[in-house]
Every structure is written in C-alpha cells, then in structure tokens.
C-alpha cells in the first residue's frame, strides 16, 4: 500500500486508483540536449540514452536524463543554432511528461551513479528507486534524473530566440535609440 511504501522511503507523489493499485501522475518537466537536434530526437520518437551528454562534474548519474521544473536548467543546455551576422541565437527545448516514481534525494552531484540506489530487497532480490533528484546549486533549481527513457514522453517543442551574451562585458552595449537629453 502507499502507506507501507511511505514508511520505508518517505513521502511520495503516488496515488491509488479505484482498484487500490498504486499509480503516479506524470510531471511536466523541461529537457534539452546540447548535442542532438530536437528534430533527430523527434524522428527517433524519444530520447536515446546514447545521445545524452552532460557536464561530467555536475550531474546525477552516468547516462541519466536530466529534467527540471525550471526552464533555466534546460535553457543552459538548449540546442542552439546561430544565424551568421545576427546577434541572436535560437534555442530549442522540450516539455516532457515524466514518470519519476520513487525518487531518492541527493544533496551533492554523483557523477558515477549508474542507476538509482537500492531501496531494499524481496527474497534477496534488490529493488531500486525509479529516479533521483538534486539541486543545481548555480541556478537554485531542483533537477530530476531518470535512467530509463521509457519514463519520459515528449509533448511539446519550444523554440525561442535570445540575444547572444556580450563577449566583452567591459564595454557597455549602446542603446540604438537614446532618449533626447534636452
């Protein structure tokens, strides 16, 4: 039952259907891939574990899919295209329905983790959490990591344009339409 699970692992976002079976509502989370175009991900009909590239020192698990409720985390690794001669880039990120299941909390990055930690065992067979979560300390947002692409369902592709960061911040950007000083 849900109460028995919560006694072992703490509060979880799982409910019970009319038949008393446990289920989870999917969360809408943001995902982006720096290395692979969204079009390739869509054509393949989902995220491939082979295409996941993360910062080797700032992540939660080898070949984990990292998602966040904050667009800031996905924006950092959003697939980017640049138009020559323009001062803007176009970024693309996904909104995904994600089944997190039972999630283990990590306070620090754990880049060597190959799967979520073990919860316990039944008849000497181990069973594991379904995902892990941690805080991106630079952005102050919670990040969820899943190790099974079957937990992530692409729903929307967001495309947006942002100015390129000024490569020389010591020089202020001049306003093209300065107000009259009269």
């Amino acid at each position: 039952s849900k109460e028995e699970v919560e006694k072992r692992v703490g509060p979880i976002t799982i409910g019970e259907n009319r038949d008393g079976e446990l289920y989870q509502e999917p969360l809408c989370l943001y995902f982006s891939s720096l290395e692979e175009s969204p079009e390739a991900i869509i054509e393949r009909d989902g995220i491939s574990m082979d295409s996941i590239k993360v910062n080797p020192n700032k992540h939660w698990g080898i070949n984990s899919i990292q998602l966040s409720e904050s667009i800031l985390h996905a924006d950092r690794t959003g697939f980017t295209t640049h138009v020559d001669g323009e001062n803007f880039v176009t970024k693309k990120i996904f909104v995904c329905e994600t089944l997190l299941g039972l999630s283990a909390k990590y306070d620090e990055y754990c880049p060597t983790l190959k799967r979520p930690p073990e919860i316990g065992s039944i008849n000497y067979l181990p069973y594991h959490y379904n995902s892990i979560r941690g805080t991106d300390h630079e952005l102050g947002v919670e990040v969820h990591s899943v190790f099974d692409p079957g937990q992530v369902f692409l729903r929307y592709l967001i495309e947006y344009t942002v100015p390129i960061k000024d490569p020389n911040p010591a020089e202020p950007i001049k306003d093209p339409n300065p107000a009259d000083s009269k």
Side-chain angles (χ1 to χ4, degrees):
S1 76
K2 180 180 177 187
E3 291 78 24
E4 292 170 341
V5 172
E6 286 183 340
K7 283 179 190 174
R8 289 194 308 269
V9 298
I12 54 175
T13 55
I14 292 181
E16 289 185 32
N17 66 15
R18 281 184 260 160
D19 299 325
E21 297 170 339
L22 297 179
Y23 74 95
Q24 179 190 18
E25 292 290 330
L27 290 177
C28 285
L29 302 173
Y30 295 101
F31 167 78
S32 63
S33 172
L34 187 61
E35 299 286 325
E36 187 172 25
S37 75
E39 292 77 15
I41 294 170
I42 292 168
E43 187 174 309
R44 191 180 45 252
D45 199 26
I47 301 166
S48 166
M49 297 308 285
D50 296 330
S51 67
I52 303 299
K53 304 285 188 249
V54 295
N55 181 324
N57 300 312
K58 294 184 177 181
H59 65 93
W60 297 269
I62 296 170
N63 287 337
S64 66
I65 300 169
Q66 295 186 28
L67 307 107
S68 179
E69 292 177 41
S70 170
I71 199 168
L72 294 174
H73 188 267
D75 176 74
R76 184 187 315 165
T77 59
F79 187 81
T80 304
T81 55
H82 179 253
V83 179
D84 288 335
E86 297 291 327
N87 292 325
F88 296 91
V89 293
T90 299
K91 290 189 171 190
K92 296 179 182 181
I93 61 173
F94 287 101
V95 175
C96 304
E97 286 188 342
T98 309
L99 297 171
L100 297 175
L102 298 176
S103 188
K105 174 78 171 148
Y106 277 77
D107 292 327
E108 300 297 326
Y109 299 114
C110 46
T112 59
L113 194 64
K114 294 182 180 179
R115 65 178 176 190
E118 187 176 309
I119 297 173
S121 64
I122 299 175
N123 295 329
Y124 304 104
L125 296 174
Y127 60 98
H128 298 263
Y129 286 92
N130 305 105
S131 64
I132 61 174
R133 65 189 187 281
T135 301
D136 180 323
H137 298 291
E138 288 178 22
L139 298 174
V141 299
E142 189 165 77
V143 177
H144 303 274
S145 293
V146 297
F147 295 76
D148 178 358
Q151 292 174 251
V152 181
F153 306 92
L154 305 176
R155 288 297 175 241
Y156 304 101
L157 177 62
I158 301 171
E159 183 174 328
Y160 57 101
T161 303
V162 294
I164 296 173
K165 290 183 181 176
D166 185 10
N168 189 356
E171 297 177 20
I173 298 174
K174 295 179 182 173
D175 185 351
N177 301 312
D180 288 336
S181 59
K182 293 181 181 181

